[in-house]
Amino acid sequence: MKKINLVPLVAMTVGAAAVLTGCSGSGSAPKDDNTIVIDMWAGSEDDTTALNEQLKIAQEQNPDLKIELRTAPWGDFFTKLTTNMASGNMACVTGMNSGMLSSYTDGFVKLTDEDLKTAGLSKDDFAPGATEILENKGDMYGLPFDVSTMVTYYNEDQLTAAGADLPKAGWSFEDFEATAKKATTGGKYGFGIGMGDFQWQALPIAKSGTQPVTEDGELQIGDSAFTDAAEWYASLVTEQKVAAPVASASDGGWGENQFTSENAAMAVDGTWNAVGYLTNDAGFKAGLAPLPTGANGNLSLVLGSGFGIAETCENKEAALKVMGSLLSKDAQDYVASSGRSYPARAESQPLYFESLDEAYRDQVKAVFDEAFKDVEGQRVSDNWAKVGTFVQPELVSVYNGQADMRTVLETAQKQFSN
């Protein structure tokens, strides 16, 4: 998945080196009982400033504790987390992303209602579907600080010039095809085909009404309904010719880049990029709309990141309190009012829209309200990361007509079934 600003709580270092080793309440670098360490992936200076404010809130709410934060870049974070989990050296409060959870459940405590009470939190604090983000096979391993879902972004200038209808709530897949075909003109394409997991899967999931993983965590990427929809998706390039084939497997953000460079009139991407697309550097008038509605409804996934508690944490009660503070109304209000991300806490979400420019505030709110109506938490299988690693490079051959989408998905099903 293309990482632009999926998570606001990216990190800084407070009185320690920016590494993940030696960060737990136990292990090779033990801390005293009043020290709680947080591990989170790192970001920009702006992210550091934002995290400073949230850490300040957590420290004010827990004056008897010392809170330290250790970081690593996104890619390194999970490599080091794997090492720390194996050595029993995870930080008491550890960041986690919905798509990565299945590989790390052994390292996290399964949260109970009593744990939430200790943290000062309730499931009712969060937006519908949000608490599913860090659940796996019915167990909760963490709680989210932000939520996102996939939507359609469009170049209004390009679509209007082509005489195509603009995407809107309730539009169908037939409408989507008609708009893409009209906008494919003058050397430009109607749609930017996706390469990232969420970017390419979003429309097949919406069209089929089926996730590629069952509720109990079994892989079903070879399911006939999902595979049919995925074949349709590939046909946008190979048959309908409304999207350009991908040049290389390294072009992970192909569809999104086609859109921002004005080579494609539409693209599917996450709500986390809404502001960036609407205020694009190219200067075209952009808009957004929910995904098209399929015959089985309009299934979309709620995605995001959050925090969990390490199994090896020696002071679980204190860790829960720190996690609760990071997800408290004060902290979530800060995230929302900064406009950095759409918070998971329901009562804080209106502040996000107030932070936006009036020129597009109403449109974003209307689309978000619609897009988040019937979301389901993303399900992942035990081998989900391996599935993505296998499928993603194969998409280049699929889009270039050298491989068959159904064969690729059926191969993944056989190879990575639990």
Side-chain angles (χ1 to χ4, degrees):
M1 180 173 60
K2 183 182 179 184
K3 293 283 172 197
I4 295 181
N5 190 26
L6 176 57
V7 287
L9 293 184
V10 286
M12 51 168 284
T13 301
V14 181
V19 294
L20 297 183
T21 54
C23 297
S24 71
S26 62
S28 60
K31 300 289 181 179
D32 62 71
D33 288 344
N34 289 328
T35 298
I36 295 298
V37 180
I38 304 168
D39 275 355
M40 177 52 61
W41 45 89
S44 65
E45 290 184 9
D46 287 344
D47 293 327
T48 297
T49 300
L51 185 59
N52 259 320
E53 295 301 318
Q54 293 162 78
L55 289 180
K56 185 187 299 183
I57 291 168
Q59 193 66 76
E60 288 173 352
Q61 293 182 4
N62 299 277
D64 56 326
L65 299 174
K66 180 182 178 182
I67 304 172
E68 293 185 6
L69 183 103
R70 315 290 177 90
T71 72
W74 169 264
D76 293 341
F77 177 88
F78 290 98
T79 300
K80 293 178 179 179
L81 178 56
T82 299
T83 301
N84 288 345
M85 188 172 77
S87 64
N89 199 34
M90 283 177 62
C92 277
V93 180
T94 294
M96 182 48 57
N97 174 264
S98 58
M100 303 295 290
L101 176 62
S102 64
S103 298
Y104 299 96
T105 53
D106 288 347
F108 288 95
V109 169
K110 295 179 183 179
L111 297 178
T112 65
D113 290 341
E114 189 62 31
D115 290 333
L116 299 192
K117 185 176 179 181
T118 300
L121 300 170
S122 166
K123 290 182 180 180
D124 293 337
D125 293 335
F126 297 87
T131 58
E132 298 176 17
I133 286 174
L134 294 179
E135 289 184 0
N136 185 262
K137 300 180 183 178
D139 293 316
M140 178 183 291
Y141 293 92
L143 286 167
F145 52 71
D146 69 354
V147 291
S148 55
T149 192
M150 305 303 285
V151 294
T152 308
Y153 293 97
Y154 61 88
N155 183 325
E156 184 172 337
D157 295 337
Q158 201 168 335
L159 292 181
T160 300
D165 292 334
L166 300 181
K168 61 182 180 181
W171 66 321
S172 67
F173 276 87
E174 289 75 17
D175 296 330
F176 169 85
E177 289 184 15
T179 296
K181 287 174 181 176
K182 274 203 169 183
T184 302
T185 182
K188 307 288 186 179
Y189 289 91
F191 183 65
I193 205 75
M195 283 289 287
D197 283 351
F198 300 133
Q199 284 78 6
W200 84 260
Q201 291 173 25
L203 287 180
I205 288 171
K207 186 174 176 64
S208 66
T210 303
Q211 289 203 46
V213 177
T214 67
E215 289 185 24
D216 57 359
E218 296 296 323
L219 185 66
Q220 60 173 5
I221 201 165
D223 173 85
S224 59
F226 181 80
T227 303
D228 287 347
E231 285 191 308
W232 165 85
Y233 185 75
S235 79
L236 296 174
V237 181
T238 59
E239 296 177 17
Q240 301 192 53
K241 310 292 185 183
V242 297
V246 181
S248 167
S250 64
D251 292 319
W254 175 264
E256 306 93 284
N257 293 333
Q258 287 283 293
F259 176 70
T260 56
S261 62
E262 298 185 86
N263 290 319
M266 296 185 292
V268 167
D269 202 4
T271 51
W272 61 85
N273 278 333
V275 173
Y277 286 131
L278 293 170
T279 59
N280 61 87
D281 293 337
F284 62 83
K285 186 175 182 181
L288 68 161
L291 299 179
T293 300
N296 297 316
N298 187 14
L299 177 59
S300 294
L301 306 187
V302 59
L303 313 165
S305 298
F307 294 106
I309 306 299
E311 277 278 7
T312 53
C313 181
E314 294 180 351
N315 195 342
K316 178 182 174 184
E317 180 178 351
L320 285 166
K321 289 179 179 178
V322 171
M323 184 180 76
S325 293
L326 291 172
L327 302 176
S328 66
K329 182 179 184 301
D330 289 346
Q332 288 275 279
D333 281 356
Y334 172 79
V335 170
S337 60
S338 70
R340 300 178 58 77
S341 188
Y342 195 44
R345 198 176 181 104
E347 64 183 324
S348 299
Q349 289 182 342
L351 293 175
Y352 173 81
F353 302 113
E354 292 179 18
S355 75
L356 303 180
D357 190 295
E358 289 185 10
Y360 50 82
R361 180 185 300 164
D362 290 345
Q363 182 188 21
V364 172
K365 184 179 187 307
V367 173
F368 274 42
D369 287 348
E370 190 68 28
F372 281 98
K373 266 186 181 178
D374 299 309
V375 291
E376 285 184 359
Q378 180 201 12
R379 305 177 198 140
V380 291
S381 65
D382 292 343
N383 291 319
W384 188 243
K386 294 179 180 178
V387 174
T389 300
F390 171 78
V391 172
Q392 195 264 354
E394 295 294 326
L395 293 177
V396 177
S397 296
V398 170
Y399 298 151
N400 281 278
Q402 298 168 336
D404 174 68
M405 178 70 89
R406 182 177 297 274
T407 300
V408 169
L409 300 186
E410 288 179 346
T411 300
Q413 179 71 41
K414 293 176 183 177
Q415 188 168 341
F416 301 109
S417 291
N418 297 348

